[in-house]
Amino acid sequence: MKKLFGTDGIRGEAGKFPLDEKTIRIIGSSLAKHLGAKIGKPPRFVIGRDTRISGEWIERTFCAGSNSKGASYESAGIIPTPGIAYLTKAEKFDAGIVISASHNPFQDNGIKVFLPTGQKLDENTERAIEEDIFEGNDASAESSTIDLEKAEEFQKRYLDSFLERFNGLDLKNFKIVVDCANGAASDLAPNLFKRFGADVIAINNKPDGENINRDCGSLHLERLQERVLAESASFGVAFDGDADRSLFVDENGGLVDGDATLWVMAQHFKRNGDLKNDAVVATVMSNIGLEIALNSKNISLIRTSVGDKYVLEELLKTGASVGGEQSGHIIFPEHSLVGDGMQTALFLLETMAENNKTLSELREGFVPYPQILVNVRVSEKRPFEDVVEIAKTAREINIELGETGRLLLRYSGTENLARVMIEGQDQTEIESQANRLAKVIGQSLA
């Protein structure tokens, strides 16, 4: 049976399997059935979406399927993914449903489920839903209409939670450029920063159903960098389509990615005595420069597999205070078990205000090392250590890199590709090493 749930729910092109109408109805009915069996009553869902043109019909179809098994639902309308995670817990829903494909283009969409704990759906329930999908039993369901009566109240409740959490934060001396990616944060994010007193310039906040993530947001920071400089702004933030992650631009137009954000927050928490176990969690893709910088402050870096799901697992296991991904997905587990781009922005702004420093000053001491990534087409995915020539070449390169470089060799989870990633002090040298290893892989696994 093919696995449909990834680390971030089910995702694909809207209208095609597994996001065709029949399958979406089955997902809704199956979730209601299995969750209802666990809790011993028909479940209550809160549901929200981003601005994709397909979001509304997917929401209606999912709700029709879940309603066929007795589930009830309330819609929060267009709202960031972390908003649904927050409301699920705060309003005591049995699950929260997000219709979004995050940073993907508008043609795609997805369904992800949060439990009241703030964690995503457990794997056993995911497998049970997949079984129902592949059995193909269509849920008999009448068309649902989406009642938005409480949407504005839910959105306000989510924003109010930041006013409570960052009570006393005064941003009246900050000019902020906010790139909303024409996504779920388009209305809420500018409003949030204004409520803290900031002078806000919002861009890419006019969604039309098809322009989400298009040449804007966290995947395209060039215009944000230009606008920050043009406006002499003190801070720029770019969200992705569902606003669960954010990247930043300092007052000089410099990019501040997830690694740099972790560096700033780790130092801030340590100064305040809030960095538990003197550790930060990041993935294998985080730059070695972050590890070296943290080590210089006697802070350890714990690495996980790629995916916020694995970052969260390690945060809960180790009790660390902060973790995240280079892509800008940052988790503060004492406040929320999901990444929240607006929360991350407020943490950075709070750090700037408390220390009376600019963002460029706060990120000093972190120097990203040159990095290269080479993809190699393969016909099979044998363990690299089982292929003599690959293992031999990888060992040689690791010796050459020593303690000032890093080799990461892995397969793509969705394509027949081997990925060679090398970081080191010299760009020319790591490019030569990566191409050397890529050639060996191509010859061995073609």
Side-chain angles (χ1 to χ4, degrees):
M1 185 178 72
K2 183 181 177 183
K3 187 175 179 182
L4 298 177
F5 280 89
T7 58
D8 210 21
I10 291 178
R11 193 176 293 182
E13 186 174 346
K16 297 182 179 179
F17 181 84
L19 289 179
D20 56 288
E21 287 197 30
K22 175 182 176 180
T23 306
I24 292 167
R25 281 196 301 271
I26 295 172
I27 294 170
S29 65
S30 180
L31 177 65
K33 176 181 70 175
H34 293 295
L35 191 56
K38 277 188 175 182
I39 63 177
K41 63 182 178 67
R44 291 175 62 243
F45 296 150
V46 60
I47 189 164
R49 58 186 177 88
D50 65 23
T51 56
R52 291 163 211 274
I53 196 169
S54 60
E56 192 172 344
W57 72 259
I58 291 176
E59 183 177 359
R60 285 198 311 269
T61 306
F62 177 92
C63 289
S66 64
N67 191 237
S68 73
K69 299 298 182 184
S72 60
Y73 50 87
E74 294 183 53
S75 179
I78 294 173
I79 190 170
T81 286
I84 290 296
Y86 168 78
L87 290 167
T88 305
K89 181 177 182 180
E91 302 294 327
K92 295 181 171 55
F93 286 97
D94 297 308
I97 318 299
V98 179
I99 311 298
S100 174
S102 189
H103 59 277
N104 287 27
F106 85 92
Q107 296 94 334
D108 292 343
N109 218 319
I111 299 172
K112 48 189 168 185
V113 183
F114 289 98
L115 300 175
T117 60
Q119 293 173 283
K120 291 176 185 172
L121 194 63
D122 62 279
E123 290 193 12
N124 288 338
T125 305
E126 289 179 350
R127 298 293 84 77
I129 293 172
E130 287 168 348
E131 286 180 17
D132 287 342
I133 290 171
F134 286 110
E135 285 177 5
N137 298 322
D138 195 1
S140 58
E142 296 181 4
S143 178
S144 284
T145 57
I146 301 302
D147 183 357
L148 294 173
E149 181 181 349
K150 296 189 70 174
E152 188 175 338
E153 178 187 334
F154 283 144
Q155 293 164 14
K156 182 180 183 299
R157 180 82 174 86
Y158 172 50
L159 289 191
D160 285 348
S161 72
F162 292 115
L163 296 178
E164 296 166 10
R165 191 174 304 151
F166 293 92
N167 182 34
L169 177 61
D170 184 356
L171 299 180
K172 67 176 179 293
N173 294 321
F174 287 81
K175 180 186 278 192
I176 302 173
V177 182
V178 183
D179 185 341
C180 302
N182 292 313
S186 292
D187 288 332
L188 298 185
N191 182 22
L192 175 66
F193 297 121
K194 286 176 183 176
R195 290 174 74 177
F196 282 100
D199 178 5
V200 176
I201 299 159
I203 61 175
N204 301 308
N205 62 329
K206 307 291 185 193
D208 63 11
E210 296 185 357
N211 61 359
I212 186 171
N213 299 315
R214 184 195 295 159
D215 300 324
C216 60
S218 61
L219 293 181
H220 304 279
L221 289 155
E222 302 83 8
R223 292 181 187 174
L224 177 62
Q225 291 172 295
E226 292 171 1
R227 193 66 181 269
V228 166
L229 292 173
E231 299 284 351
S232 298
S234 48
F235 186 85
V237 55
F239 300 104
D240 64 343
D242 67 336
D244 64 348
R245 63 184 186 178
S246 49
L247 295 178
F248 304 93
V249 173
D250 66 29
E251 75 285 359
N252 299 318
L255 172 63
V256 178
D257 66 4
D259 284 348
T261 300
L262 288 173
W263 165 242
V264 172
M265 294 314 307
Q267 291 185 94
H268 179 63
F269 285 167
K270 181 153 185 168
R271 280 192 297 267
N272 292 343
D274 296 328
L275 189 67
K276 291 184 178 178
N277 301 322
D278 283 336
V280 170
V281 177
T283 76
V284 292
M285 294 304 294
S286 279
N287 194 280
I288 192 175
L290 174 62
E291 191 165 359
I292 291 169
L294 290 172
N295 286 342
S296 74
K297 301 292 184 180
N298 296 315
I299 301 171
S300 61
L301 181 67
I302 303 169
R303 292 187 183 270
T304 73
S305 299
V306 176
D308 64 294
K309 172 182 178 179
Y310 302 111
V311 172
L312 176 59
E313 286 177 357
E314 194 65 30
L315 284 168
L316 295 176
K317 175 183 172 184
T318 61
S321 304
V322 62
E325 298 184 278
Q326 194 177 57
S327 60
H329 205 131
I330 310 296
I331 301 174
F332 302 89
E334 289 186 17
H335 301 275
S336 174
L337 298 186
V338 300
D340 188 325
M342 294 196 293
Q343 175 179 258
T344 303
L346 288 173
F347 266 118
L348 277 182
L349 288 162
E350 182 181 62
T351 304
M352 292 168 65
E354 284 187 12
N355 292 277
N356 195 27
K357 287 186 175 182
T358 65
L359 188 53
S360 67
E361 290 172 331
L362 287 173
R363 65 156 294 166
E364 287 176 0
F366 166 51
V367 181
Y369 274 42
Q371 183 184 90
I372 183 170
L373 176 66
V374 178
N375 293 321
V376 186
R377 182 70 56 182
V378 296
S379 60
E380 57 176 327
K381 295 183 178 180
R382 291 165 59 194
F384 296 115
E385 61 270 19
D386 291 350
V387 184
V388 174
E389 283 304 311
I390 295 176
K392 177 176 177 291
T393 306
R395 281 196 302 272
E396 291 171 354
I397 292 172
N398 273 315
I399 291 170
E400 293 167 10
L401 291 169
E403 294 184 0
T404 58
R406 187 168 69 100
L407 164 64
L408 176 64
L409 192 54
R410 66 188 185 96
Y411 288 113
S412 165
T414 57
E415 302 176 84
N416 284 335
L417 293 175
R419 303 197 193 278
V420 181
M421 191 277 284
I422 300 182
E423 294 170 338
Q425 294 177 308
D426 185 273
Q427 186 70 42
T428 302
E429 185 176 349
I430 64 172
E431 286 178 7
S432 173
Q433 291 166 330
N435 289 328
R436 189 169 103 219
L437 182 52
K439 183 178 179 181
V440 173
I441 292 171
Q443 291 171 341
S444 302
L445 299 175

